[in-house]
Every structure is written in C-alpha cells, then in structure tokens.
Amino acid sequence: MAASDHLALDDQLCFALYAAQRAMTRAYAPLLEPLGVTYPQYLALLVLWEADGVLVRELGDRLALDSGTLTPLLKRLEERGLVTRQRGTDDERVVRIHLTPAGKALRQEARKVPIALACRAGFDPADKRARAALAALRGELRALAERLEEPAA
Amino acid sequence: MAASDHLALDDQLCFALYAAQRAMTRAYAPLLEPLGVTYPQYLALLVLWEADGVLVRELGDRLALDSGTLTPLLKRLEERGLVTRQRGTDDERVVRIHLTPAGKALRQEARKVPIALACRAGFDPADKRARAALAALRGELRALAERLEEPAA
DNA sequence: CGGCATTCAATTGTGCACAATTGACTTGCA
DNA sequence: TGCAAGTCAATTGTGCACAATTGAATGCCG
C-alpha cells in the first residue's frame, strides 16, 4: 500500500481551509443573531455599507457570487426591510440595491461584530504584531484564491 | 461617518477565508468530476481510505460534520456503489461505513488529484520551501479553527 | 435599420451545512 | 432490576453555492 501519496486528510491544505472557514462562520453566527442576518447576508451588507446603490452584478463581482445565490439572498434582505431592489431606468437589465434607513442603521449595531470576533479568535486588536500576523494570513489567503481562480477555465 | 471601524470588506480575515475556500472547492470540481464525487464526498473518502469501517459519528468527529450532513452524503456514496452502511450488531445505535471494492479502487484514481491541484495553485511539489510555506499556512488555519471553536459555547 | 452576440437577473435543480427534533438504543445509578 | 440520562443516526426545515438555462434588454456591426 502506498502509505504516503498525499491523500492523508491532515496533509490537505484544502481541508484545513474548509474546516477553518466553517469554524469562522459558526463563530459569527451568535454575533450576527442579534442583527437578524446570516453570515453571507452580513457580507453583502458590508459591501452595501461601503457602496450603497450597487448593482447585483457589482455585488456579485465583489463577493464572487452569482445571481443564483444573490437573488434569493437579496430578496430575504428586502423582506427584512434592510434593502430595496429596483430595476435600472436607463438600463432595464440591471437591478440596483439600496439600503433602507433600517439597513443603514444596522451598521452601528454591526460595528462591534469584528471586534468581538477578533477577541474570540484570540487576537488582541491593540497588539501591533497580532494585527500584522492577521494581515499576513489574509494576504496569503487572497493570493491563494487568486492563483486558484486564474489558470485556464 | 466613522470611516475606519473595521467594517471594510477587504480588511476582513473572514472574507479572505470565505473567498479562498470557495475558490478551492471550485478548483477541485473539475479534478473530481472524473471520479464522480463532490468535494465533501471526496473528504469523506479520504477518511475512509485511512480508516475503513469507521462509524458515522467518527467520520463526523474527523470532518466536523453532523449526521444531518453526513447521512444524505453517505446515502449518495452508497447509491454510487462506493460504500456500504450497516447498523452495528453489538450496538444498534451506530452505523458503520465500509468501502466497497469500487470505493477502494477509486483511491488509485484519486492519487493524482492533490498533485494536480498543487500544480494549479502554483506550488511546486519538489520545492522544499514551497512545501514548508504550505505546511505553515495549513498550521495557521488549523490553529485559527481551534481558537474559534474553543471558547465558551 | 436589422439582426446577432452579449449582458443581465431570475429560475431550476442538486448538494451541502447546520440547528432542532425525533426515536431507537444503551448506560449508569439508585 | 428499573428508569432516567445520555448517545446515536435519521429527519425536518432554512439558507446558501453553483451549474445550467431562460428570457428580456442592450450593444454592435454590417
């Protein structure tokens, strides 16, 4: 038996990534529960808080999600009264997403979320070295994602 | 407006993790397609190739998945003729998963998958430094996941 | 001007994740 | 011994992800 042909679960970067991502989402859940939004909905709101009035397509570019995921997600945010969805007037193919007053107000509630999570992850936001380590990890993950998406098709 | 209160999408480690994980899964898809299994099914097979005959609970411990996810996943693997599921005889609560000959044989097909993926991610398997960097990243992700799961409940 | 390719969001269908519950089975302890 | 607590896999219901298709709207090119 080929004991070492790189098929050991614990050797897989992919599994470490998979497990860490799910642990992260689970860690966010109790912090987002008071806001009444899910983790992907929270990501969409992060984009909207930076750029209110974006198109569904632009949101999709930013989050690497397609309309198959975003359309129902945005409908749920609309049902909760956090955003509005309206067809473009000049270009009737597009749909523009705007924050409602409630959606804008939710940003204040959300400010404590990243701090609470950093705390839970054992990062001291005041520690310069910890912040640098976090930024380095983030950079490595971004570089990895870019390399994975790039080649061929 | 508080321009810098840590709510910028690109500052979020969580988003880098989320995006990288999905990029990874998408990168695996074309490699797993010839095997006829999905990415989570592949992870379950990695466990089974290491430890044939494990219980559903043990598989769940290993992958951090519950029966709500594993039961249907394993039923699909059973339908494809890769595993069998049978109630324990001594303890009738548990279900034991065994690889079929086809399931065992698939391991040979799978051996090229991690190599192909490493290649796609721009890692040279022969480069000692690249392997060390990969191991370091894996370790950081594991440590992060552990810190996120640990505290309170 | 006409028509063909392209760009959009929406829809359809499959397969995870995960919380919560269910119900069978086992264990431990009074 | 009996029963209460705990352990299992399965089920139910919600919400992503994503491939593939649809159909409307736009842009381009002759």
Side-chain angles (χ1 to χ4, degrees), chain A residues 130-148:
Chain A
R131 273 186 295 148
L134 193 146
L137 180 54
R138 200 180 58 210
E140 283 190 78
L141 290 172
R142 267 223 284 270
L144 175 64
E146 198 164 343
R147 286 199 304 276
L148 287 170

Side-chain angles (χ1 to χ4, degrees), chain A residues 5 9 22 50 63 121 147, chain B residues 9 22 50 63 121 147:
Chain A
D5 47 7
L9 182 67
R22 290 191 301 120
E50 280 181 27
L63 299 174
R147 286 199 304 276
Chain B
L9 183 67
R22 290 191 300 119
E50 282 180 27
L63 299 175
R147 285 198 305 276

